[in-house]
Amino acid sequence: MLRRLAKVLRAEGYAVDTAADGEEGLYKAQESAYDAILLDAMLPVLDGWEFLSRLRKTKATPVLMLTARDTSEDRVRGLDNGADDYVVKPFDLPELLARVRALIRRGAVAAGSRLDFGDVVVDTAQRTVWLRGEVVALLPSEYVLLEYLALHRGEVVTRTALYEHLFDENESTLSNLLDVRVSNLRRKLGQEFIVTRRGHGYGIGIEA
């Protein structure tokens, strides 16, 4: 299931780090700034309940718990321990992806699903972008970059933060992938839409 979920999420354009047991997962969750965590309740070494209890002492990262047991007791236990949402296995993938999108929106500054930037409109629920009323075809990797900047409108987002949120742990921060994606988005949405703050990072709705 871990491999399948990682494959599906990457196909949707998300950067995904994985952990096969709770101890490894807790270390990564405490050391990195994730947008959301999918947490299996029955992890080896350190189970999901204990993972969540320890995580909540230092981090408020949105957590979606996955469990095979659909009982009121389990749901209450997960929510009381700090879970933000709860899905029972086997689950419907489109629903799971919708819940992940909702968690990421909830954890960002902009909570609404429709983000309006004048000529450009981003709908995070439909993962669709319009330019002057026309749908813009974006690659998944381009969309997630745009969405992250859109959800942090008015902020300068550093290159380091973008690599942490948009690229897998094994991808190099020295690559030019980020520059290519920014360039592609400017070509499709307008050169001035994404502003570069030299020496700092990128942003939407900021001064150059």
Side-chain angles (χ1 to χ4, degrees), residues 43-114:
L43 285 171
V45 184
L46 186 70
D47 69 27
W49 315 113
E50 183 62 23
F51 174 106
L52 194 53
S53 178
R54 295 189 192 182
L55 179 71
R56 284 297 179 247
K57 293 177 182 178
T58 58
K59 291 267 193 171
T61 310
V63 173
L64 173 61
M65 285 204 76
L66 311 175
T67 179
R69 301 201 308 177
D70 184 19
T71 66
S72 176
E73 180 182 352
D74 277 353
R75 289 196 298 272
V76 169
R77 184 182 181 187
L79 295 171
D80 280 350
N81 278 6
D84 298 272
D85 202 354
Y86 192 98
V87 174
V88 177
K89 298 181 287 187
F91 44 77
D92 180 65
L93 274 175
E95 179 186 352
L96 180 74
L97 292 171
R99 288 177 182 269
V100 169
R101 292 193 294 271
L103 273 188
I104 293 173
R105 286 199 304 273
R106 205 176 303 160
V109 174
S113 65
R114 188 178 175 92

Side-chain angles (χ1 to χ4, degrees), residues 78-191:
L79 295 171
D80 280 350
N81 278 6
D84 298 272
D85 202 354
Y86 192 98
V87 174
V88 177
K89 298 181 287 187
F91 44 77
D92 180 65
L93 274 175
E95 179 186 352
L96 180 74
L97 292 171
R99 288 177 182 269
V100 169
R101 292 193 294 271
L103 273 188
I104 293 173
R105 286 199 304 273
R106 205 176 303 160
V109 174
S113 65
R114 188 178 175 92
L115 309 176
D116 196 326
F117 299 93
D119 287 345
V120 178
V121 176
V122 181
D123 190 318
T124 59
Q126 298 184 37
R127 292 171 70 87
T128 304
V129 179
W130 291 270
L131 174 63
R132 292 186 286 276
E134 298 291 330
V135 174
V136 180
L138 297 181
L139 297 174
S141 58
E142 296 167 353
Y143 173 80
V144 293
L145 169 58
L146 174 62
E147 180 186 80
Y148 191 77
L149 291 174
L151 288 171
H152 294 82
R153 65 190 305 167
E155 301 176 26
V156 177
V157 183
T158 66
R159 292 177 65 89
T160 299
L162 289 170
Y163 268 101
E164 286 179 350
H165 285 274
L166 304 177
F167 294 87
D168 291 349
E169 57 192 338
N170 59 349
E171 291 188 86
S172 172
T173 58
L174 298 178
S175 75
N176 68 341
L177 287 175
L178 180 59
D179 303 286
V180 170
R181 293 181 190 181
V182 170
S183 177
N184 288 343
L185 285 174
R186 284 175 171 156
R187 177 172 51 81
K188 294 178 180 181
L189 301 175
Q191 291 298 318

